Amino acid sequence: MSNEPHEPAFPDGPPTWPVADEDVRAALEAAYADGSWGRYRGPNCERLIGALAEYHRVEHVTLCCSGTIAVELALRGLKIGADDEVLLAGYDFPGNFRAIEAVGARPALVDIDPATWCFDVERLEAAIASETRAVIVSHLHGGLVPMRRLMEIAAGRGIAVVEDACQAPGAMIDGRRAGTWGDAGVLSFGGSKLLTAGRGGAVLTRSAEVHQRIKVFAERGNDAFALSELQAAVLLPQLAKLDARNATRRERVSRLLTLLSDVAELSPVRFAAPPDEPAFYKVAWRIAASTGHEAMHAARERFVAAVQREGVAVDAGFRGFATRSEQRCRHATTLEHSERAAAATVVLHHPVLLDDATAMERVARAMRIASGAIRT
Ligand SMILES: *Cc1c(COP(=O)(O)O)cnc(C)c1O
């Protein structure tokens, strides 16, 4: 089927990101007109801090230059340093592992929940060792970490929580926004992210102490990890549209999964049900192929190549950390689901979710055709 000649689903390739937005243009022009684009300190960063604090209902927001640095600043704000251990999922954003090492601490790996792709909260308690001081959890690929349960366990054991909401800005968990459950929450404004300024990030916290420690570290005589006035200016109108865009993305994902429900080779992430609301930076599937990881890698490569030929932005997921040596990171649990996720995950990039109404039909058709390449 995949070899039959046909017009690709998206002949011009995947839709680009960010989308054209007159409000962003107006923000850029206003920053030019009032000269704030060239200032160290101006009105835009202050406004963004206020808007993010209000949207998330948190007291303190620190803007910074990337999500990766935001994770590091969060760890520093929580006083994590040398001789400390920090737990994270065996399948996660690579920068989170490095952020732990950057503060001098040692990563320890915990397996993911195979249904949600996220840190398996039920394995937290048993994973804690005497040096464990913190845990980083990420809401990944539309999956959400059950934060209320996680916070209960962490509080009971005196473990600090960094909640990485870089892939889930605006998601709702038990009535609260993603990024507001942890002792510190992290957002990214990177070029591919749902809220984008090309680069950038933020740390959210309710704790004045955590906020103050981040501030002291980040100041270093000057604001060493700053977000610029111009970046803040373009983020403001995007934040105002985030809820509406997330709602559209949710509808589209739900439609797409329905269209693909009979494709046995693709099993999707189990995303949260109402009243919880996921946010989709990526939509993930695990490809079902013969059990060996090598066979899975090969099947995934064939699938990804076939979908990309259709002009659909599907890629392999994260590489994960399960293969990293115990020298470098303690394996606090078995990591079979993390290993499987690393071998078998494919992710659809979000821009197509805001494309025209026929886009999901075309994505589904492309993925269905490509799924033939998994079997061969
Ligand atoms: C994108 C991302 C980050 C940080 O990204 P930056 O590119 O450094 O802003 C952190 N965690 C996750 C899960 C991400 O997807």
Side-chain angles (χ1 to χ4, degrees):
M1 193 166 163
S2 56
N3 295 325
E4 282 171 29
H6 60 271
E7 177 82 348
F10 293 81
D12 303 327
T16 54
W17 188 256
V19 289
D21 185 334
E22 282 307 315
D23 294 331
V24 168
R25 183 205 297 273
L28 286 166
E29 283 173 0
Y32 179 78
D34 67 12
S36 58
W37 66 276
R39 291 201 203 126
Y40 281 113
R41 276 176 213 288
N44 299 303
C45 285
E46 282 313 310
R47 266 185 226 133
L48 182 62
I49 287 170
L52 286 170
E54 187 185 314
Y55 180 82
H56 290 96
R57 298 170 189 269
V58 294
E59 284 79 358
H60 306 285
V61 176
T62 309
L63 302 177
C64 64
C65 53
S66 73
T68 302
I69 285 294
V71 174
E72 184 182 328
L73 292 176
L75 290 170
R76 293 190 188 278
L78 295 166
K79 282 203 208 157
I80 307 303
D83 303 324
D84 294 338
E85 182 185 87
V86 179
L87 299 171
L88 86 164
Y91 176 86
D92 199 352
F93 180 71
N96 290 356
F97 191 101
R98 295 286 293 122
I100 296 168
E101 293 183 326
V103 304
R106 187 160 185 265
L109 305 178
V110 173
D111 210 0
I112 56 168
D113 176 335
T116 63
W117 265 259
C118 297
F119 189 103
D120 187 348
V121 171
E122 295 314 318
R123 301 183 74 168
L124 171 59
E125 185 100 53
I128 294 170
S130 57
E131 325 73 64
T132 311
R133 295 284 172 273
V135 53
I136 300 178
V137 294
S138 305
H139 306 294
L140 289 182
H141 309 344
L144 294 173
V145 179
M147 291 306 296
R148 187 180 298 277
R149 175 98 179 103
L150 176 90
M151 295 311 291
E152 267 166 27
I153 299 168
R157 297 295 299 268
I159 303 289
V161 176
V162 175
E163 182 187 4
D164 177 344
C166 291
Q167 296 204 354
M172 293 292 286
I173 305 162
D174 259 338
R176 279 162 63 171
R177 299 279 180 197
T180 68
W181 284 91
D183 299 291
V186 171
L187 302 174
S188 166
F189 307 129
S192 65
K193 295 286 152 92
L194 300 181
L195 294 172
T196 181
R199 298 270 172 188
V203 185
L204 314 174
T205 185
R206 297 201 158 75
S207 160
E209 244 179 83
V210 170
H211 180 65
Q212 184 59 21
R213 270 197 296 271
I214 291 174
K215 196 167 166 217
V216 167
F217 179 81
E219 268 177 3
R220 306 253 200 103
N222 196 349
D223 198 352
F225 307 99
L227 185 91
S228 75
E229 275 294 302
L230 194 50
Q231 288 171 298
V234 298
L235 286 163
L236 279 159
Q238 295 177 69
L239 182 61
K241 294 173 188 186
L242 181 61
D243 286 350
R245 286 179 174 170
N246 275 345
T248 303
R249 285 188 275 257
R250 275 194 296 278
E251 273 171 39
R252 297 287 172 87
V253 169
S254 153
R255 171 99 190 109
L256 179 59
L257 296 190
T258 304
L259 290 168
L260 287 170
S261 58
D262 63 325
V263 179
E265 290 82 4
L266 295 170
S267 45
V269 67
R270 186 183 68 204
F271 60 87
D276 284 358
E277 294 176 347
F280 290 96
Y281 166 65
K282 303 278 181 186
V283 188
W285 290 263
R286 219 171 276 129
I287 61 163
S290 28
T291 45
H293 286 166
E294 259 171 55
M296 234 180 303
H297 266 293
R300 178 170 67 176
E301 250 174 62
R302 291 194 302 270
F303 175 75
V304 166
V307 196
Q308 288 181 353
R309 278 196 298 276
E310 297 287 333
V312 176
V314 163
D315 283 290
F318 295 131
R319 299 166 70 102
F321 315 124
T323 55
R324 296 196 179 174
S325 75
E326 303 224 27
Q327 210 56 11
R328 208 170 160 199
C329 55
R330 184 168 70 89
H331 292 194
T333 72
T334 57
L335 296 168
E336 55 176 298
H337 299 304
S338 303
E339 275 182 79
R340 217 167 107 67
T345 301
V346 295
V347 289
L348 170 68
H349 195 36
H350 67 87
V352 76
L353 301 176
L354 295 184
D355 205 7
D356 68 62
T358 68
M360 294 307 97
E361 272 68 16
R362 288 182 286 150
V363 171
R365 181 165 62 90
M367 290 185 66
R368 183 183 297 277
I369 290 170
S371 71
I374 295 171
R375 289 184 299 268
T376 45

